[in-house]
Amino acid sequence: MMQSVTLILSVVIAQYGLTEGYLKVSLLNTFSYRSDATTVTHKYFKCFISETDLDGVSVTAERVSYTRNGGWRNPAPYPPTKDNQRTFNVYLQSSSNKAFGVYACEVTLGSSTTSVQTILLRSTAEIVPSDRLLTKTVNIGDTGVNLEMDELVEVEVEVEWRHNASDTFSQQQTRIPIPRGNRLLRATDGGVYECHHANRRDEALHGIQRLIIRGKYSDHNV
């Protein structure tokens, strides 16, 4: 039986801080993503450009962060292919849950670049964000910020956290304070946070949430 991957947030249109930049760009997923699907319709998301003048536009895509151990489990998306004048399809490698993770579509027009991100989790995940959202937006200097996950499947190992694919920290807790330590929130505290069961990161069954930090030096247009 094929395992499936679904989006907690199925349509991403500059919401919750997922867009960086000032060009009018949307990222769209309207289907349930099947990680082992063989049909073409289950292998891509769409990057839609709303700008009126597209002369000289450039579109690229990337995996934002490693969310499994080993580079081969974190393949980059294929180069975007033009579906029509304003829409580009970003195809993903789907076998063995390789589509799991965080992706970005970048659109450059002249001197302006906009990045739109999305996160793909498995529908059979053992750990998911408690608020069922893929991002959380706060401000530089905030206090009392917490990230929290729900452990849907309890196993006989502790949970571990990672920040931007770092080494693990804060074992045994599904709720953690940000920042770690007695200080105010900084821009560097933002990024991709993972919560997974110890020694099971490779299985892509864990939760991911991106922390967006806005402030004086933020370029988020939300």
Side-chain angles (χ1 to χ4, degrees):
M1 181 179 294
M2 293 189 300
Q3 294 175 314
S4 64
V5 170
T6 60
L7 284 177
I8 289 179
L9 183 63
S10 61
V11 181
V12 180
I13 307 179
Q15 295 181 7
Y16 305 110
L18 284 175
T19 302
E20 297 177 0
Y22 302 99
L23 298 174
K24 298 174 183 177
V25 182
S26 303
L27 189 151
L28 177 64
N29 243 322
T30 58
F31 51 81
S32 295
Y33 196 95
R34 298 182 181 278
S35 62
D36 294 324
T38 56
T39 55
V40 172
T41 55
H42 287 143
K43 287 188 176 181
Y44 66 90
F45 56 81
K46 289 180 177 289
C47 187
F48 181 78
I49 308 169
S50 302
E51 296 291 329
T52 55
D53 183 6
L54 298 180
D55 186 34
V57 70
S58 172
V59 180
T60 61
E62 66 176 353
R63 180 183 287 271
V64 175
S65 175
Y66 276 18
T67 50
R68 302 171 73 186
N69 296 331
W72 69 273
R73 294 188 181 94
N74 299 272
Y78 294 103
T81 58
K82 183 179 288 188
D83 187 39
N84 55 52
Q85 185 179 7
R86 300 184 180 281
T87 305
F88 289 77
N89 296 333
V90 180
Y91 287 83
L92 308 175
Q93 295 190 37
S94 59
S95 63
S96 303
N97 297 301
K98 292 175 185 174
F100 175 87
V102 188
Y103 296 91
C105 180
E106 289 195 350
V107 177
T108 299
L109 188 59
S111 60
S112 298
T113 297
T114 288
S115 175
V116 188
Q117 296 190 13
T118 191
I119 298 174
L120 290 169
L121 303 180
R122 287 180 60 178
S123 61
T124 54
E126 297 178 345
I127 301 173
V128 297
S130 295
D131 55 13
R132 302 303 191 267
L133 297 177
L134 301 178
T135 67
K136 184 170 187 173
T137 302
V138 294
N139 297 297
I140 290 176
D142 279 356
T143 59
V145 176
N146 294 284
L147 296 182
E148 185 171 5
M149 298 279 177
D150 284 346
E151 195 174 5
L152 303 181
V153 179
E154 295 186 8
V155 298
E156 297 299 318
V157 296
E158 61 191 15
V159 298
E160 299 176 335
W161 287 81
R162 295 174 190 263
H163 176 213
N164 292 333
S166 67
D167 292 336
T168 58
F169 66 91
S170 191
Q171 288 83 1
Q172 302 180 350
Q173 302 294 324
T174 55
R175 184 174 187 266
I176 60 169
I178 304 294
R180 292 173 283 160
N182 186 22
R183 61 174 176 81
L184 299 179
L185 205 64
R186 301 171 183 166
T188 53
D189 295 313
V192 176
Y193 285 83
E194 305 172 57
C195 181
H196 60 84
H197 287 120
N199 301 316
R200 300 190 68 178
R201 187 176 184 233
D202 290 346
E203 298 178 35
L205 291 168
H206 54 286
I208 301 174
Q209 193 167 50
R210 182 182 173 212
L211 184 64
I212 309 297
I213 300 182
R214 301 185 299 187
K216 181 178 180 181
Y217 303 107
S218 173
D219 62 357
H220 300 299
N221 62 338
V222 295

